[in-house]
Amino acid sequence: MKRKMRILYKREWWVIFFILGFFFINYPIIHIFNKDFIIFGYPIFFLYLIMGWFCSIMVIFIYAWISEHRL
Amino acid sequence: MRKLKGKSIVANPYIYAMTLAVYCSSWTFYGSVGEVTNTGFKFITIYIGPTLTAFAWGFILRKMIRITKENNITSIADFLSSRYGKCSYLGAQVTTFAIIGIMPYIALQLKSISTTFELLTHPELRPGMQTIAGNAATNFHNHPFYLETAFYISLVLALFGALFGARHLDASEKHEGMVAAIALESIVKLVAFLIVGLFVTYGIFDGFKDILTQIHNHDLYKNLLLINTSPSNSYQSWFTLVILSMAAIMFLPRQFHMAVIENQSEKHIKKAMYLFPLYLFLINLFVAPIAFGGLLEIGGPSSIADTYVLTLPLLHSQHSLSVLAFIGGLSAATGMVVVSSVTLSTMLLNNLVMPLLLFLKIKADLSSWLIHLKRLGILLIILLGYLFFRIIGDSYMLVNMGLISFSAAIQTAPALIGGLYWKKGTRHGAMVGLSFGFLFWFYTLMIPSFVYSGWLPGSILLNGPFNIWWLNPIELFGLSGFDFFSHSLFWSLSSNIMAYLAVSLIGKQDEICLRQAARFVDVFKPRIDRFMQEKRYANFPALSELEMMMARFIGKDKAHLVFVDFFATEDYTDKLSEMNDQKRMQLAAEVEKSIAGSVGSSAARIICDTYMKALGSEMENVFDIFGKISLSLEASQEELQQRIKELSVLYEASRIVASSLDPKQVMNDLLDLLVDKFNVDNCSVRLIEHDGMLRIKAQRGLRPEFVKTAERQPNMECYSGECFLTGKVIHVPDTDKINKSISTNLMTGQGIKSFVQSPIFSEQEIIGVLSASSMKEKGYFSDKFIDLFQTLAQQLGVAIGTARLYDQLARFSKELEVKVAERTIELERKSLELSQANKDLKELDRLKSEFLANMSHELRTPMNSIIGYTQLLIDGIDGAINEDQKVSLETVERNANNLLALINDILDLSKIEAGKMTISLSPISLDAVIDETLNTLNPLFENKKQHFYLEKEDNLPLVIGDAEKLRQILINLLNNAIKFTNIDGCISLKAGLLAGKPPAGLDPKKRYVSVSVEDSGIGIKPENLERLFGEFVQLDASASRKYGGTGLGLSITKRLVEMHHGIIQVSSHYGKGSIFSFFIPIYTQTDTLQVKETVKK
């Protein structure tokens, strides 16, 4: 388990997530969610932005936490 | 106080994350809400962008912080100027652009504060009072400035700025008071916004779902839930905003200041990376609900939507909540204005004012002035913002004003990011890039702003200036279809980047620029500052003078502290003489760095350079003889590493070769090495044998059946044969392409894909083939490996050759041993035979002597009778005889006597040889012996009338001898002398103690008496001297007849002397005479007296 965690220390992961985030927040990916569609009572675009944003914060949190605690 | 102790209350990651939230100004607080009513969710890009950037903070921000701390950098302008060779022009340029760029942003804050203030204080302006805020705002500008709220707000904010950001001059440009205040305002604005948000969402409405559903069902507002519904919220503008906000969080001067300059520890970054985005997430969570709520409750144009945060509580008579919202908005605006003004004031002071003062050569003590200048700068910046507010305050929504500043801030990005990661980026590249970027920014954003505010004619935006269509600021060069900001971003950023790259690539960097580039780009690499090693100061100033100079800029106490820190002692005044060139360079750098903390790096550099030059202290080069060597080493480091690897394998191979003389073991070990180090699948050693067959003698990984079939006479139809016969290395990278019938079957049978074979040489002769092959891939063996492989084969050849030689040597040695043993046995046998023969001979000799002795004895008896009777006849006893008879009888008698003498001699000699001669040794006096002998011989001398002389020492010591035998010796010698000396000749006898060392053959420890007989006779020829003492020796047959004698005398004499433990010598002068001497030992008390001794020959 610890070995697997160590793989995540690599700086390249940050670059990958950075690029992934950039793609997810831009056209054409957002075009997929930019629809007049209600899901669980919420507009899908609103949900996508809020959830996506929160998830990316969680990703940073997890990685920062791992590298801080040196699992 | 806490700060002095070294641990600051603000030095923790939570405060750090909060201070970054200065990003959320009144634009966030009010403007986002207004933006939603216009473009839907587009506002969110301004906050998701920074979240994305946070991913990169781990390396970009950390690097910027490290560089800033190492160089005592005070601002983003300082950062750029320092990176590009501490260039004051670049710093000034960045500062100017930043001040112009920030004006709309400060104006935005002033607008929001004054608008909301008016709303709170003038109930008639509130929504529901049938007027709109936009109108109210328009009305403001009808007043002179001294009646305007915004003007007084500006003054108050300037006071705040001076209080928190310019209380005193700090060398490191850290403001803990300001940091604490900003952290607090961040909490206030978040809490206020959340409370208003909760009130609107759950107080006025029934939660998110309720508001969103209502909007979704609202025909007019339904589109706000989507984007790309109008040009203002197109995907393209969405993209532009993401880019702008990503850059803004790093490169807005205030963000740079809070994130980089005010950072207390690099460790804080990690927490801030998620805490700050989380803050943004929370503060934006209720933006949409408030905006939609406002639309549903109040409606109206988006300009009044900016104030929904305030007006919604007011509408529901929640006055305290609206006051809370105002405080939140106020703190957001105040925070932004204070930090921006302080930051820009620092930039203004360090990058514009200081270089100017230095240029003007003002020599006053600047340290007390600087703080006032800084406060003045803060006021100036805020008033400039106010000026912008006065000019175009009405024509824009808050968000748009902010975006103009964002677009300006991003212009520093190419030079800054390039400066962090690209060493070739030059000062001119940065300056030209920035100029282009700023020019396009100004033309495409500021000019339209002036048009909208009515300062410039509207026709510019329709037909272009002077009717030149392609110069239209919003459709530059005919680029249409873009929104306002995307259009501007495209032109400004692309021209900026291109100019930066192109000019950098064309231009050249000077020494200081190169040095700074390395310091920045390689900040995390341990490095030796070459500059420090290659330069030195001629005429370094006195330490007290240097300190005084520093004090002018940073104050006396701080200057003193810097010196104390540097020397680690209070008493440093005499240290200058102990400092070497490098230490002096370090001190100069430290002084410059400390001054840079107050006045910025470019000004500090000018200050220090001018000061040093004024003192006649200039930098000069130090000759570095190793500079070139180390460079070439760096270049070939990879090569060296490769070489080391090869050498280690060769070393291992040499060890194997040297460790054993058993060829089998050497081969096996070497093959193991090949398998271990190079992971070859199989390898083998073939050796040629006496029957001319090439056989595999050692192998790894080959199948047994292959080993058997591989045995053959070398021929060109297989690769090992070719290798053996030609002596060349054979490398086949792909076995599919081989053309040798025998090899094809073998290779495919083994599944070999590539192989290499090298001949094994031993003393110029090929003795075998070393092979290695890979079943994994084609082209497995590189050229470098093949070289190494060849060397290994050579080593193997040497080892096998040595082993064979050793083997041969061992075999020869064994054969030799056998031969020696055989010879020894033979010799022993022969030696035995010889000793037997010797024994036989001795026995024969003895028998002969015995026979002679017996015969002599038997002859003597009749001879005595003959002589006796002959005498009787002569004497006439048996009757008278006549004269003739007498003569005949006398002849008979004489011959009988001679015969008897001969028989006696033979008898003596035989006795000696047969070991039957006995002598009795006793101490005797030689005197007596000599006397008796002379008495006997006297008649003979007289007969021949010879002269006889006796020379005898008195008191001769006793000798050990047999008196009778000694007499015989003397008689023999004297007889000889008489015989061979003519009539009237001389004969002498000498006897005396032998003086000096006894002659060879005698015991040197004993003392001897020497007796010699000298004559003047015929002498002896030198060639005859050696055989003189032999038996039956008569040197001359005629002499024998003339002088008579048996020839046995000297032989007997010699034997007798030897029986006395002595020796006899002769010397002679042919024709003149001879000397015979003998030596016999004297008697001493220590001698064991041998009364009777039998001497055997």
Side-chain angles (χ1 to χ4, degrees):
Chain A
M1 186 64 188
K2 281 196 173 181
R3 249 179 93 95
K4 278 182 187 166
M5 288 294 201
R6 261 186 212 118
I7 296 166
L8 303 178
Y9 294 161
K10 289 181 182 164
R11 170 191 283 198
E12 284 74 7
W13 285 109
W14 292 108
V15 181
I16 289 169
F17 279 119
F18 174 75
I19 293 166
L20 263 182
F22 191 76
F23 277 109
F24 274 104
I25 195 61
N26 272 302
Y27 182 83
I29 303 279
I30 45 165
H31 185 59
I32 299 169
F33 298 94
N34 189 23
K35 300 268 161 64
D36 184 12
F37 185 72
I38 301 288
I39 187 165
F40 311 122
Y42 297 96
I44 188 165
F45 192 54
F46 173 79
L47 262 190
Y48 171 69
L49 290 177
I50 294 296
M51 299 303 283
W53 192 2
F54 189 74
C55 283
S56 60
I57 294 169
M58 287 314 290
V59 167
I60 306 178
F61 170 74
I62 290 164
Y63 273 87
W65 194 82
I66 287 169
S67 71
E68 223 169 340
H69 291 77
R70 286 277 157 208
L71 278 178
Chain B
M1 280 308 284
R2 292 287 293 258
K3 187 181 169 189
L4 287 177
K5 282 177 195 165
K7 177 79 183 169
S8 168
I9 191 166
V10 296
N12 76 67
Y14 302 99
I15 297 282
Y16 180 61
M18 286 295 146
T19 56
L20 296 179
V22 74
Y23 182 71
C24 301
S25 62
S26 56
W27 171 5
T28 310
F29 207 85
Y30 300 116
S32 291
V33 176
E35 179 73 358
V36 173
T37 64
N38 211 16
T39 57
F41 292 120
K42 200 175 95 174
F43 79 97
I44 217 165
T45 50
I46 302 298
Y47 307 95
I48 291 185
T51 307
L52 277 177
T53 308
F55 276 103
W57 278 359
F59 37 100
I60 291 191
L61 185 58
R62 198 164 78 92
K63 192 168 191 178
M64 281 159 68
I65 289 171
R66 180 68 65 87
I67 292 167
T68 299
K69 286 188 178 152
E70 285 197 0
N71 294 277
N72 230 1
I73 283 164
T74 57
S75 67
I76 190 166
D78 203 16
F79 192 93
L80 283 168
S81 121
S82 179
R83 161 63 182 83
Y84 295 100
K86 303 182 183 179
C87 166
S88 51
Y89 295 109
L90 181 63
Q93 190 187 12
V94 175
T95 304
T96 314
F97 295 170
I99 290 170
I100 298 170
I102 209 73
M103 276 160 55
Y105 213 159
I106 290 176
L108 183 160
Q109 313 302 323
L110 295 177
K111 181 180 175 179
S112 75
I113 295 173
S114 61
T115 309
T116 51
F117 184 75
E118 294 291 339
L119 270 175
L120 275 185
T121 50
H122 296 82
E124 71 278 9
L125 295 174
R126 290 171 198 165
M129 297 294 156
Q130 306 307 314
T131 47
I132 52 168
N135 289 346
T138 315
N139 290 336
F140 301 153
H141 296 304
N142 296 331
H143 305 304
F145 72 89
Y146 50 85
L147 286 178
E148 228 176 57
T149 322
F151 176 68
Y152 292 101
I153 290 167
S154 305
L155 293 183
V156 171
L157 289 178
L159 187 69
F160 260 64
L163 265 177
F164 288 111
R167 279 248 294 279
H168 47 77
L169 213 58
D170 198 307
S172 61
E173 201 55 43
K174 280 192 167 50
H175 311 84
E176 298 208 340
M178 190 171 81
V179 167
I182 297 300
L184 185 68
E185 68 85 4
S186 292
I187 294 166
V188 170
K189 69 191 175 202
L190 178 67
V191 170
F193 200 85
L194 284 177
I195 289 172
V196 175
L198 284 168
F199 168 72
V200 173
T201 315
Y202 296 100
I204 304 174
F205 293 92
D206 195 13
F208 280 94
K209 212 184 258 183
D210 178 34
I211 298 174
L212 291 168
T213 315
Q214 283 194 45
I215 288 290
H216 189 252
N217 296 331
H218 199 290
D219 286 341
L220 202 61
Y221 303 136
K222 196 180 172 182
N223 272 351
L224 292 177
L225 292 174
L226 296 172
I227 58 162
N228 206 26
T229 51
S230 72
S232 60
N233 68 358
S234 64
Y235 287 137
Q236 177 199 95
S237 66
W238 180 281
F239 175 81
T240 302
L241 255 61
V242 171
I243 297 285
L244 283 177
S245 62
M246 278 169 68
I249 194 64
M250 299 289 283
F251 306 126
L252 273 174
R254 73 169 193 281
Q255 290 307 134
F256 184 89
H257 185 85
M258 288 326 255
V260 180
I261 311 288
E262 297 285 1
N263 173 277
Q264 301 273 354
S265 161
E266 286 173 26
K267 287 179 188 162
H268 296 170
I269 298 171
K270 268 184 189 156
K271 277 208 169 63
M273 277 167 77
Y274 57 86
L275 285 176
F276 174 62
L278 191 65
Y279 183 97
L280 295 180
F281 180 80
L282 289 175
I283 206 167
N284 281 289
L285 197 57
F286 290 104
V287 167
I290 292 171
F292 293 146
L295 280 176
L296 293 170
E297 288 277 304
I298 302 165
S302 49
S303 53
I304 65 162
D306 278 347
T307 54
Y308 279 165
V309 182
L310 211 63
T311 48
L312 271 174
L314 280 176
L315 198 70
H316 290 84
S317 304
Q318 297 287 335
H319 291 276
S320 51
L321 205 57
S322 62
V323 171
L324 179 70
F326 175 74
I327 292 170
L330 180 68
S331 61
T334 314
M336 184 271 159
V337 174
V338 166
V339 178
S340 294
S341 60
V342 168
T343 309
L344 284 165
S345 165
T346 307
M347 283 161 71
L348 182 72
L349 188 67
N350 291 352
N351 297 289
L352 280 174
V353 179
M354 276 309 295
L356 196 70
L357 288 179
L358 292 167
F359 180 73
L360 296 173
K361 299 202 169 131
I362 292 171
K363 293 214 168 172
D365 183 353
L366 290 169
S367 68
S368 54
W369 276 51
L370 289 175
I371 190 69
H372 299 302
L373 285 171
K374 193 168 176 180
R375 288 168 187 161
L376 204 66
I378 291 171
L379 183 66
L380 185 74
I381 304 287
I382 296 176
L383 288 178
L384 279 172
Y386 171 69
L387 188 68
F388 193 83
F389 166 68
R390 285 279 293 188
I391 297 168
I392 49 173
D394 299 339
S395 48
Y396 274 101
M397 279 181 65
L398 294 180
V399 167
N400 290 347
M401 290 166 78
L403 283 176
I404 296 174
S405 288
F406 272 31
S407 300
I410 201 173
Q411 302 309 325
T412 54
L416 213 145
I417 294 175
L420 282 176
Y421 294 100
W422 192 45
K423 279 188 199 169
K424 286 177 187 163
T426 66
R427 176 189 313 160
H428 293 114
M431 284 170 76
V432 176
L434 264 169
S435 301
F436 267 97
F438 192 75
L439 192 73
F440 278 102
W441 168 80
F442 193 87
Y443 194 73
T444 55
L445 281 183
M446 289 301 263
I447 298 289
S449 301
F450 294 143
V451 173
Y452 289 136
S453 67
W455 265 43
L456 290 170
S459 62
I460 293 179
L461 300 186
L462 285 173
N463 307 317
F466 317 110
N467 281 331
I468 307 170
W469 64 269
W470 52 269
L471 280 182
N472 186 342
I474 54 170
E475 285 181 5
L476 194 59
F477 307 121
L479 184 73
S480 57
F482 274 75
D483 70 285
F484 211 47
F485 293 105
S486 301
H487 173 261
S488 169
L489 183 73
F490 173 77
W491 285 119
S492 60
L493 200 59
S494 57
S495 62
N496 185 342
I497 292 172
M498 291 312 291
Y500 171 65
L501 294 177
V503 175
S504 291
L505 287 174
I506 294 165
K508 252 187 150 184
Q509 300 193 81
D510 59 14
E511 203 172 58
I512 186 159
C513 199
L514 277 171
R515 181 190 168 205
Q516 289 300 98
R519 280 175 71 98
F520 273 52
V521 176
D522 298 333
V523 69
F524 291 117
K525 284 187 194 160
R527 80 198 130 79
I528 306 157
D529 199 333
R530 283 200 162 279
F531 187 77
M532 288 276 188
Q533 288 182 339
E534 287 168 0
K535 296 276 177 187
R536 67 162 167 235
Y537 273 109
N539 305 324
F540 200 75
L543 294 182
S544 53
E545 282 179 50
L546 205 59
E547 192 183 333
M548 251 163 64
M549 185 274 282
M550 265 178 91
R552 279 179 53 204
F553 298 96
I554 63 170
K556 248 185 181 173
D557 296 344
K558 276 183 191 155
H560 180 68
L561 258 172
V562 170
F563 273 74
V564 171
D565 274 357
F566 185 83
F567 289 104
T569 170
E570 284 277 347
D571 183 28
Y572 51 80
T573 40
D574 301 330
K575 292 270 182 190
L576 185 62
S577 55
E578 298 167 18
M579 292 164 76
N580 59 18
D581 288 340
Q582 220 179 319
K583 193 97 180 155
R584 289 176 185 197
M585 287 291 294
Q586 280 171 4
L587 179 64
E590 194 62 35
V591 168
E592 191 185 317
K593 206 172 113 179
S594 307
I595 296 173
S598 278
V599 301
S601 56
S602 58
R605 184 181 151 224
I606 298 169
I607 290 165
C608 289
D609 282 1
T610 336
Y611 174 75
M612 289 293 196
K613 265 181 200 159
L615 287 174
S617 178
E618 287 199 50
M619 257 193 265
E620 56 188 27
N621 285 324
V622 176
F623 183 66
D624 178 14
I625 198 164
F626 290 105
K628 286 213 166 79
I629 294 170
S630 58
L631 268 179
S632 67
L633 277 180
E634 267 169 38
S636 60
Q637 199 175 6
E638 214 166 286
E639 218 166 286
L640 278 175
Q641 277 176 351
Q642 181 64 31
R643 193 82 198 113
I644 288 166
K645 276 183 204 162
E646 286 175 25
L647 283 175
S648 79
V649 173
L650 284 178
Y651 167 76
E652 184 69 10
S654 317
R655 202 189 54 73
I656 290 169
V657 165
S659 64
S660 173
L661 273 169
D662 177 10
K664 193 107 193 146
Q665 184 169 353
V666 171
M667 287 189 280
N668 282 327
D669 287 352
L670 211 66
L671 293 182
D672 284 339
L673 182 75
L674 275 173
V675 173
D676 280 358
K677 300 272 175 184
F678 301 104
N679 207 15
V680 299
D681 292 311
N682 44 52
C683 46
S684 64
V685 179
R686 288 177 173 85
L687 292 180
I688 192 83
E689 300 207 314
H690 296 298
D691 57 0
M693 299 289 269
L694 201 54
R695 286 194 183 89
I696 293 182
K697 304 303 283 183
Q699 57 93 8
R700 291 285 179 277
L702 290 174
R703 290 187 203 141
E705 64 266 23
F706 177 83
V707 177
K708 270 182 203 160
T709 52
E711 175 183 327
R712 73 178 65 84
Q713 275 189 325
N715 62 67
M716 295 299 279
E717 279 313 299
C718 65
Y719 285 100
S720 53
E722 187 188 338
C723 176
F724 182 84
L725 294 172
T726 59
K728 283 180 186 160
V729 176
I730 292 179
H731 173 217
V732 176
D734 182 359
T735 50
D736 287 347
K737 291 178 185 150
I738 56 179
N739 50 8
K740 292 192 190 290
S741 53
I742 301 175
S743 296
T744 313
N745 296 334
L746 293 175
M747 293 301 165
T748 43
Q750 287 282 306
I752 290 168
K753 292 197 171 155
S754 55
F755 66 88
V756 59
Q757 291 183 321
S758 171
I760 302 171
F761 280 91
S762 175
E763 292 176 8
Q764 315 286 323
E765 189 191 341
I766 303 174
I767 57 165
V769 175
L770 177 67
S771 322
S773 50
S774 169
M775 285 146 74
K776 285 189 273 294
E777 53 192 288
K778 293 171 179 171
Y780 187 76
F781 303 106
S782 66
D783 288 349
K784 274 201 170 7
F785 172 82
I786 293 165
D787 288 347
L788 192 72
F789 188 70
Q790 213 174 345
T791 318
L792 288 179
Q794 279 167 7
Q795 292 223 16
L796 184 62
V798 172
I800 293 172
T802 313
R804 281 183 173 175
L805 272 178
Y806 180 80
D807 218 33
Q808 228 168 4
L809 207 65
R811 215 169 47 240
F812 281 148
S813 158
K814 221 166 207 172
E815 279 172 13
L816 208 64
E817 267 174 32
V818 170
K819 274 187 184 163
V820 167
E822 280 172 2
R823 290 270 167 90
T824 312
I825 291 166
E826 177 84 352
L827 279 174
E828 274 173 3
R829 193 175 55 80
K830 286 200 171 159
S831 155
L832 216 64
E833 281 173 13
L834 276 175
S835 72
Q836 188 58 43
N838 197 22
K839 229 174 185 176
D840 292 350
L841 277 175
K842 276 183 183 168
E843 184 59 22
L844 280 174
D845 201 40
R846 196 188 58 79
L847 287 172
K848 174 205 82 178
S849 300
E850 204 172 286
F851 166 75
L852 281 176
N854 290 338
M855 278 299 292
S856 308
H857 185 74
E858 292 305 318
L859 283 171
R860 210 159 56 166
T861 316
M863 279 311 291
N864 279 329
S865 302
I866 292 167
I867 292 166
Y869 283 105
T870 310
Q871 194 69 50
L872 286 175
L873 284 174
I874 292 168
D875 289 348
I877 292 168
D878 289 336
I881 52 166
N882 60 30
E883 211 44 45
D884 288 341
Q885 285 172 323
K886 194 181 177 182
V887 171
S888 299
L889 281 174
E890 277 172 358
T891 305
V892 170
E893 189 198 11
R894 195 171 57 247
N895 283 317
N897 273 326
N898 281 345
L899 198 60
L900 187 64
L902 177 65
I903 290 166
N904 279 338
D905 280 355
I906 290 172
L907 190 67
D908 280 352
L909 199 65
S910 302
K911 270 188 183 167
I912 291 168
E913 289 199 337
K916 287 192 175 167
M917 169 78 85
T918 55
I919 59 167
S920 81
L921 293 174
S922 57
I924 52 165
S925 164
L926 208 56
D927 291 324
V929 173
I930 290 170
D931 288 347
E932 278 172 31
T933 309
L934 291 180
N935 283 339
T936 315
L937 292 177
N938 232 359
L940 291 175
F941 297 126
E942 284 168 9
N943 275 350
K944 287 190 89 174
K945 294 177 184 165
Q946 289 163 329
H947 306 284
F948 179 78
Y949 307 97
L950 174 67
E951 288 176 31
K952 186 164 60 101
E953 278 180 20
D954 294 335
N955 303 322
L956 270 176
L958 298 177
V959 295
I960 302 167
D962 184 323
E964 195 184 335
K965 300 290 187 276
L966 279 175
R967 205 159 36 239
Q968 193 179 347
I969 292 166
L970 278 175
I971 287 170
N972 277 350
L973 291 176
L974 284 167
N975 252 334
N976 272 351
I978 293 163
K979 214 187 292 174
F980 293 107
T981 304
N982 296 331
I983 297 165
D984 285 341
C986 292
I987 294 167
S988 61
L989 175 71
K990 294 176 183 171
L993 198 62
L994 179 67
K997 218 173 150 188
L1002 293 177
D1003 187 354
K1005 287 173 195 162
K1006 289 184 175 171
R1007 301 198 68 197
Y1008 291 86
V1009 168
S1010 146
V1011 181
S1012 54
V1013 176
E1014 198 176 335
D1015 64 59
S1016 57
I1018 57 170
I1020 308 154
K1021 288 181 183 167
E1023 64 266 27
N1024 293 330
L1025 282 175
E1026 273 189 23
R1027 54 191 188 99
L1028 194 63
F1029 295 102
E1031 290 159 21
F1032 299 103
V1033 170
Q1034 274 283 338
L1035 297 175
D1036 191 338
S1038 58
S1040 175
R1041 279 191 298 277
K1042 189 179 174 186
Y1043 303 109
T1046 59
L1048 287 173
L1050 277 177
S1051 182
I1052 292 166
T1053 305
K1054 183 171 179 268
R1055 306 284 173 92
L1056 288 175
V1057 171
E1058 282 168 0
M1059 285 168 82
H1060 279 86
H1061 306 295
I1063 58 165
I1064 184 163
Q1065 288 179 339
V1066 61
S1067 63
S1068 177
H1069 200 249
Y1070 184 65
K1072 289 197 173 169
S1074 311
I1075 304 167
F1076 286 86
S1077 312
F1078 68 89
F1079 312 91
I1080 48 172
I1082 63 165
Y1083 167 73
T1084 54
Q1085 292 295 327
T1086 53
D1087 277 346
T1088 318
L1089 194 64
Q1090 289 170 296
V1091 179
K1092 204 165 190 183
E1093 187 181 347
T1094 305
V1095 181
K1096 287 184 180 176
K1097 189 183 175 188

